[in-house]
Structure formats: C-alpha cells, structure tokens
Amino acid sequence: MENLIYIALFAPLVSSLFAGVFAMSPRATFVGVISSILLLVSFFASAQLAYFVYSTNAVIHTTMMPWIMAGDFFVEFGFVVDHISVTMMTVVTLVSTVVHIYSIGYMDHDKSFNRFFSYLSAFVFSMMVLVMSDNFLGLFIGWEGVGVCSWLLIGFWYHKPDVSRDENPSISPSWAANEAFIMNRVADLGMLIGIFILYWSVGSLKYDVVFATLPHLSETVLTTAALALFIGAMGKSAQFPLHTWLTDAMEGPTPVSALIHAATMVTAGVFLVIRANPLFAMTPEVSFFIAGLGTFVAFFAASMALVNRDLKRIIAFSTLSQLGYMFAAAGLGAYWIALFHLAAHAFFKALLFLGAGNVMHAMHDELDIFKMGGLKKYMRWTYIYMGVASLALAGIPVFAGFFSKDAIIETAFNEEAYVLWGMLVVTAGMTAFYSFRQVFLTFAGVPRYDTHHLHPHDMYRYVLIAMSPLALLAVFAGFFKEEFEAFVTHLLPSYHMSEHTHHLVGLLTVIVLGFAIGGIYLAYKKYYNGLKRDEKCENSFIYKLLVNQYYIPHFYEEFIAKPYTMISQKLWQEVDMKIVDAIVDAIAYFFYNSGDVTRRMQTGNLSHYLNWMAAGTAVLLLAAVLFA
C-alpha cells in the first residue's frame, strides 16, 4: 500500500518535471499525452487505495523521512490515507486526468503548450500534498504550492493586454493572477497564526495529536485557533469579503478554471474545515458564523450570476455560491454532507467549465452569451453535457446535485436555522434560473453572432469522450449517497435528522423543487426563443448593482488599492528617496571622497612613503601610551 501512496502522490510531480524539460521546446503532443497518462496512473493508484480503505476501514499512515528538526520542534514528511483524504485524492486525480486530456485539444495551437502541462501537473502534485499530509505544516506547504501554481496558471497568458470591463475597468491575466495571489496571502497569514496557536498549545502539528489534545485546551485558545484557520479557508475558497479574485481568475485558460475553480483549490478551504472538524465542533459560535457566512455567500454570488453576460464568470459565480452551500453544511455540523456536495459539485462544475471551453473554442474566444444563440445545432454533445451539468447544478431529481444540495437545505431546517433555510431555498431557485439562462442564451434561439465569419463546431471526438465520465457522474453520483455516508462516517461524525424533519422531508423536497423548477421555467419563458432585452430593467438600480458586483471591486479599488498606491508613492518619494537613498548615497560619497583624498599619498616617491610610515608609527606609539 505504501508504494501506491507514493505513486498517487508523485506521478503528477514526474509529469510536471517531464513537461518542464520540454518547456522551451516547440509544441509537442506527446508531452500532453505522457502527462495525461501519468495523471491516469495517479488516479488508478488513488482508486486502489480508496477500495482498500472501503473494504477494510483501515487508515494508512506512512512517513517518508524526517523534515524539520530544530530543538523540540520536529516534523516529518508524513502522509495519511483515510476516508477523508482518499475521497479527495480520487476526486482530484479523476478530474485532473479529464482536464489534462481535454487540454491536449484545447491548448492545441498554443505555443506554450508544453509549459502549460508542466504548471498543470505541478498544481495537481501540490493539491495531493495538501490533502494527503498527516499534519498541519504539510497541509500548509501544499496550500502554498497550489497558490503559486494557480498564480502561474491564471496568469499563463501574461502577454495579453488589459481589457476594459464594466465591473472592473482594467483587468488582464497578469492582473488577475496577482489579485488571486495577494488576496490569498492576506488570508494565509490568518491560517499561519492558527497553526502557530495550535503548536504553541499542543506541541505538535500532527492531526492525531492535535485533535486528541483539544479537550484539554481553553475555550479562548480553541475559538482563536478556529477563527484563524477559517480566515485561511475564506481566502482559498473565496468567501466574502475575499471573493473577488475567483471571478477575475477566469482570465486564465478554461482548463485551469475546470481544475482549480471547480474541483481542487477552491474546495481546499472546505476540506480544511472538514479535516479539522474536531476543532470546529468544539467551537459552536465559530461554526455558526461559518454556516451564516456560507449561506450569505450562496445567495450573494447567485444574485450576481443572474445578470452576468460572461459565460465563464456565470459559472464562477455559481462556484462561489456552491462553496457557500458546502460551508453552510460544515458550519451546521453535517461534515459528511459537505464532503459529499464537494465531490458531486466537482463533477458537474468541471463539466460546465469544459463545456464553456468548447463554446469558446467554437466562437473564437467569445464569452458574451448575448452574442451567441442557436449553437445546439452545431454543438450537440456540448449542449447535452452542459444541459446535464446544469440540471445537476439546479438540483433536479436523479442528478447528483439534487441529493447533495437537498441534504444541505434539510440540514438547515433540521437545525432550526429557518432564516438560513429560507435563503438556501431561494438561492436554489436563483441557481436554476441562471444555469438555464446561460444554456438557453448560448444554445437555443437564433444565432446572434456573425454567421459569415464564425462557423461553430464541436470539439475533437477524444475531448468529448474524455468529458463523458464527468457527465455520467453528474447523473449517477447521487445514487451512492448512502454508501458514501457509511464510508466517510467511519471518520467523520454522523449527522441524523430529527423525527420532526423526517416527517416533513417530503414537503421540504417539494418546496425546494418548486423553486428550482420555477427558476428553469422562468428562464425558459424568457430566453428559450431568443434574447429579449428589457432596457427598463437594465437601467434599474438593482440591475446595475448586480452587474457591478455590488460595487465591491470599485470599493476595493477606490478605498484600498488607490490609497495604498498613493501612500507607497509618498513613502518612496519622501522616505526612500530623501532618507534611505540619501544615507546610502552619503556613505558612498564619503568613501569615494576619502579615497580621492588618500590616493594622493600614492606619489611613487620613496621618501614620501618613509615619511608616512614614520608618521603612522608615531600615531601607533601615541595610541599605545594613551590606552595602555
């Protein structure tokens, strides 16, 4: 089993190094093929480990080598394969394999094809380190690794110029990459503080030791550590107010969005809360704050998706919203339900992003859904895939999202958090509306694009075949809910609905379905037969508020970015130039002038040298007499 652990972990690293060797070489298809095969090997190893853990309920611990030994501080390169980590390993490697194969076709004409695969595989390796580590420091190394790789991938097309947008007047891949990196570094400071608090209080960073010691810690320490760790989770999972980077990150290549912003990095914050569930279970105030914030973000992000015209950004807002659902479940104590929705969401959301990539490929990188329409005639398989993924996202029965999202909404009702329940139900209706708004405006109606110069077509056959596992899982993954619960609750706490909730479960399901079906019907009536612009609506205050993301990006620009830039320039001019540089220049000037003066001693005249030697000897003798 230990060999399988190392194969699952290091196959993506080998893939990254292999592609990196050819990074500066001309595009070579075999680089993408070999990288994809290595990711497939990692998936098979993860699947075998998952079967072993499922059949034996064993937890595998392995230590590769000592890492840090400094006084009493000792950390090993240790990994754990248990019910939580193996679930994440399987989901990450499966989606990553599909994305790698998809990227062979999507990045087909990109001159930096080889470099892209190196970055993509390095990201997967970092994510595997994050989910497999048996201690908080190893998790943090993977946490920072995915941060660096996401910066490389979001800014992959760094040569592209800034593009003017309504909600953000100046954005480019480089700008978006920097925004994501900096915003996550701000949050990661909180996570580091949480890790320091735990080590200071416990004396170890291993999960088993930390969780076993928690009952002996004070309430203040537990609450502070939980809050600090959640701040890190807020940044990585783009929770308000650290959310703006995720939608701006759509400037990167679409396969990056399918991997990072659907199944891996953005779910790392949820994974952290699930992994550290013993800590959060002992801090109910922090947990309820997590649930409240998650519910708010679910509603908040869905409202912005209602009016957005950018195909990828709509899906990104949807990711934000679904992450809110996951945090709501985890905050209410239903950790296994949060993990179930994480896995189900990974499949249908990755499928949606890859479908959007197909549309971009066919439309010459056009993303405005108001400039599409009628594509189902030319892109039948993409239409089916995105329709299936949208049905799963909307929570329609038999599709995966129905089983996972409905369980989260029931959890809110069961906890008597009726305000949260109401917001989640309304959000379900909004989700259904914006999901099918984008599907109908993209594929139904009459073409709204230049039919003389654009000739849409579906992606390569092997790309469509590679997407099929995600489509199948988006349909059938929900049927394994009971098996999944039995599997992960060997490690995670069980969550049981009350008798009262059980009696009302049918009514609750009907209410949620009513909102979801109502949202789809409204989208159908409004958009299926084509785009009908409503100028009165588009000029309203609420519409402009949503289009401009509640003016939060403008607020950050005006009250954080610009003042920071102004202060930095002032400090540069007044402190750096007039004080720091002046002192350095003065020192240099002093030594230069002293050298200029003393070089006159070098006359080449022997008698002058003897005179200087005599003078120096006299000075030394005088010093010896004075300080003897």
Side-chain angles (χ1 to χ4, degrees):
M1 288 298 118
E2 188 172 340
N3 289 336
L4 286 176
I5 292 174
Y6 292 138
I7 290 171
L9 176 63
F10 289 111
L13 178 61
V14 174
S15 172
S16 176
L17 295 174
F18 172 78
V21 169
F22 300 95
M24 304 305 292
S25 304
R27 177 200 172 284
T29 303
F30 75 88
V31 171
V33 173
I34 298 298
S35 293
S36 302
I37 291 172
L38 286 167
L39 265 293
L40 187 62
V41 169
S42 180
F43 166 68
F44 282 139
S46 299
Q48 282 187 267
L49 289 167
Y51 178 75
F52 177 80
V53 174
Y54 176 78
S55 57
T56 64
N57 281 321
V59 175
I60 310 170
H61 290 272
T62 183
T63 301
M64 191 168 70
M65 66 180 76
W67 181 13
I68 301 174
M69 292 176 287
D72 295 332
F73 185 64
F74 177 69
V75 182
E76 297 173 316
F77 271 119
F79 303 98
V80 60
V81 177
D82 57 19
H83 304 75
I84 299 174
S85 62
V86 82
T87 300
M88 292 295 296
M89 289 164 62
T90 308
V91 170
V92 168
T93 52
L94 172 61
V95 176
S96 300
T97 301
V98 171
V99 169
H100 272 70
I101 298 171
Y102 178 91
S103 298
I104 298 173
Y106 189 86
M107 303 296 289
D108 186 40
H109 301 296
D110 197 290
K111 64 179 182 180
S112 298
F113 179 90
N114 303 345
R115 178 167 61 90
F116 179 80
F117 277 91
S118 181
Y119 292 168
L120 202 64
S121 298
F123 175 89
V124 179
F125 169 68
S126 298
M127 190 68 194
M128 293 293 279
V129 171
L130 190 158
V131 301
M132 293 175 67
S133 290
D134 67 355
N135 62 84
F136 281 100
L137 192 59
L139 179 145
F140 187 73
I141 294 301
W143 192 276
E144 294 305 298
V146 295
V148 172
C149 293
S150 69
W151 178 76
L152 293 169
L153 288 165
I154 295 168
F156 185 77
W157 288 324
Y158 58 87
H159 55 276
K160 285 189 174 182
D162 290 358
V163 177
S164 179
R165 298 185 185 276
D166 291 337
E167 69 276 10
N168 198 326
S170 179
I171 187 169
S172 67
S174 293
W175 190 95
N178 289 336
E179 180 191 21
F181 190 80
I182 293 168
M183 198 166 283
N184 274 276
R185 297 297 75 71
V186 172
D188 290 352
L189 176 60
M191 184 179 177
L192 264 179
I193 292 172
I195 293 173
F196 289 155
I197 291 171
L198 290 175
Y199 178 75
W200 186 269
S201 305
V202 176
S204 175
L205 291 175
K206 289 182 75 75
Y207 296 144
D208 293 344
V209 177
V210 171
F211 298 152
T213 313
L214 290 178
H216 305 293
L217 302 182
S218 69
E219 184 179 344
T220 302
V221 170
L222 292 173
T223 302
T224 307
L227 275 174
L229 288 178
F230 181 62
I231 289 172
M234 286 171 62
K236 198 64 75 182
S237 294
Q239 296 296 282
F240 177 87
L242 305 174
H243 65 281
T244 56
W245 70 265
L246 194 149
T247 50
D248 290 339
M250 296 304 104
E251 296 300 317
T254 302
V256 173
S257 303
L259 183 61
I260 295 180
H261 308 122
T264 53
M265 188 180 90
V266 294
T267 60
V270 181
F271 169 78
L272 173 61
V273 175
I274 294 170
R275 172 58 80 185
N277 70 87
L279 171 62
F280 290 99
M282 296 177 68
T283 53
E285 296 85 359
V286 176
S287 293
F288 191 76
F289 170 73
I290 293 172
L293 181 64
T295 302
F296 166 75
V297 170
F299 180 88
F300 172 73
S303 67
M304 292 183 284
L306 294 174
V307 299
N308 203 281
R309 294 169 51 172
D310 187 302
L311 181 59
K312 284 175 65 177
R313 284 182 172 235
I314 294 170
I315 303 173
F317 280 123
S318 171
T319 299
L320 262 178
S321 184
Q322 298 308 303
L323 288 168
Y325 272 96
M326 296 174 208
F327 276 118
L332 294 171
Y335 298 103
W336 80 262
I337 295 176
L339 186 60
F340 183 55
H341 191 52
L342 186 158
H345 171 264
F347 304 136
F348 58 75
K349 187 53 63 65
L351 184 62
L352 269 177
F353 271 120
L354 296 182
N358 290 356
V359 173
M360 284 184 66
H361 189 268
M363 298 294 291
H364 293 189
D365 293 334
E366 179 60 68
L367 281 168
D368 189 346
I369 57 176
F370 282 18
K371 299 177 181 178
M372 296 182 186
L375 293 181
K376 67 178 180 180
K377 178 180 178 182
Y378 309 103
M379 306 180 69
R380 184 165 56 93
W381 281 107
T382 299
Y383 175 54
I384 293 172
Y385 283 156
M386 292 193 73
V388 166
S390 296
L391 287 167
L393 177 59
I396 300 302
V398 313
F399 294 92
F402 166 75
F403 296 93
S404 58
K405 190 160 64 173
D406 200 57
I408 295 173
I409 297 173
E410 286 177 18
T411 300
F413 185 88
N414 189 64
E415 293 295 321
E416 299 182 357
Y418 298 123
V419 173
L420 304 188
W421 174 80
M423 291 181 68
L424 292 174
V425 170
V426 172
T427 301
M430 294 162 65
T431 302
F433 175 80
Y434 69 67
S435 298
F436 280 88
R437 170 179 175 265
Q438 71 172 4
V439 170
F440 294 148
L441 285 176
T442 302
F443 295 99
V446 296
R448 295 182 298 277
Y449 54 87
D450 186 351
T451 55
H452 295 290
H453 297 91
L454 286 176
H455 304 285
H457 54 84
D458 239 327
M459 278 287 273
Y460 308 115
R461 186 179 297 274
Y462 72 87
V463 169
L464 296 173
I465 292 172
M467 293 169 65
S468 59
L470 298 179
L472 292 172
L473 287 165
V475 177
F476 297 112
F479 292 108
F480 299 96
K481 177 183 174 183
E482 292 182 2
E483 290 80 0
F484 184 88
E485 178 184 3
F487 175 63
V488 298
T489 49
H490 280 96
L491 193 64
L492 292 172
S494 299
Y495 185 85
H496 300 288
M497 300 294 177
S498 67
E499 195 68 27
H500 177 64
T501 305
H502 269 301
H503 285 306
L504 294 175
V505 67
L507 176 61
L508 296 175
T509 301
V510 169
I511 293 172
V512 177
L513 271 179
F515 273 85
I517 294 172
I520 295 173
Y521 178 75
L522 184 60
Y524 174 83
K525 290 291 289 183
K526 190 171 178 62
Y527 298 112
Y528 188 80
N529 293 319
L531 176 65
K532 297 176 183 178
R533 302 289 293 271
D534 186 343
E535 292 186 9
K536 184 178 179 180
C537 175
E538 292 180 10
N539 289 325
S540 67
F541 171 75
I542 294 177
Y543 188 92
K544 290 182 177 179
L545 187 69
L546 296 178
V547 164
N548 289 283
Q549 301 179 36
Y550 295 92
Y551 294 96
I552 292 173
H554 289 277
F555 175 83
Y556 288 166
E557 179 70 19
E558 294 296 325
F559 295 99
I560 297 178
K562 286 184 178 178
Y564 180 82
T565 302
M566 183 182 68
I567 292 170
S568 299
Q569 288 178 337
K570 198 71 175 176
L571 290 173
W572 167 61
Q573 293 171 351
E574 301 298 329
V575 178
D576 196 49
M577 296 293 291
K578 294 183 179 180
I579 298 177
V580 177
D581 280 5
I583 292 172
V584 173
D585 290 343
I587 293 171
Y589 183 77
F590 169 76
F591 282 107
Y592 180 83
N593 284 297
S594 63
D596 192 49
V597 172
T598 54
R599 70 185 177 86
R600 296 172 185 172
M601 296 166 56
Q602 305 295 327
T603 62
N605 190 312
L606 184 59
S607 61
H608 287 174
Y609 293 161
L610 290 172
N611 290 336
W612 282 112
M613 289 173 63
T617 303
V619 170
L620 290 174
L621 290 172
L622 180 61
V625 171
L626 291 175
F627 299 104

